[in-house]
Amino acid sequence: MPRILVIDDDPAISELVAVNLEMAGYDVSQAEDGIKGQALALQLQPDLIMLDLMLPRVDGFTVCQRLRRDERTAEIPVLMLTALSQTQDKVEGFNAGADDYLTKPFEVEEMLARVRALLRRTDRIPQAAKHSEILNYGPLTLVPERFEAIWFHETVKLTHLEFELLHCLLQRHGQTVSPSEILREVWGYDPDDDIETIRVHIRHLRTKLEPDPRHPRYIKTVYGAGYCLELPSVPSSAEGASTSVVE
């Protein structure tokens, strides 16, 4: 039975979420502030954390950053719950390390769908390791067992989501992949026209792979259509991964 930790200071919301998760077959624990939430995350090692942003004592952004820095919790999927719906709030949530974002009020079925999608990526080898699919092209080789990329002979550590996103683009190398197709394949739920999720993770990939993330050569934006991965068939020279950061 997957264990889910709900960190939310609103008793009504927390109880509503917990009851519906338990009815769906999950083992649920709850915390009402950031300090207790972080402590329970370390103690329980849950399969997924549902984290409110506006928490007393320590806010959700800070909790998420701390969880990502600790190797014991770094790989636990985080679904952020918040009343904030501004694009910048979502960007900050993803930059803090969230895997997905759900704005209050939300439908229970939508919440459960996103929980199921995140849990499918927990404690498993990516889909790339289970099928005879493209795992290398030119300077790029994906290593599913370790969620790594070999990029111009350099090893680049990826998050689970970054790996799945890069794998999605690699399967369609040279083709434009629409945001709806990416959301469906990588995040596992029907598109909701909110592509900020994809933009943030594309930007994170570019900081790891592009020599100049501000002027991408390999992960290109096709305005109004989606994203395209364009790689040379044979790497002409060794080129290390980017170390610059673009916010």
Side-chain angles (χ1 to χ4, degrees), residues 47-49 68 75-79 99 118-119 121-122:
D47 297 290
L48 184 144
I49 297 171
R68 287 292 177 252
E75 299 297 328
I76 298 175
V78 174
L79 173 60
D99 295 278
L118 285 174
L119 286 173
R121 292 196 297 269
T122 303

Side-chain angles (χ1 to χ4, degrees), residues 25 33 42 57 77 81 94 97 117 123 146 149 167 195 220 241 247:
D33 63 59
L42 293 170
R57 305 182 74 184
L81 304 176
F94 287 127
D123 296 329
R146 299 193 299 273
H167 177 255
I195 64 171
K220 298 183 177 180
E247 295 296 339

Side-chain angles (χ1 to χ4, degrees), residues 103-144:
T103 303
K104 302 173 184 176
F106 49 81
E107 296 292 334
V108 170
E109 283 306 314
E110 181 184 7
M111 177 194 74
L112 293 175
R114 299 206 178 195
V115 165
R116 287 192 296 267
L118 285 174
L119 286 173
R120 280 199 296 269
R121 292 196 297 269
T122 303
D123 296 329
R124 67 170 177 86
I125 294 175
Q127 291 297 324
K130 300 181 180 180
H131 305 285
S132 299
E133 297 178 333
I134 300 171
L135 291 176
N136 65 280
Y137 187 92
L140 175 64
T141 298
L142 298 181
V143 185

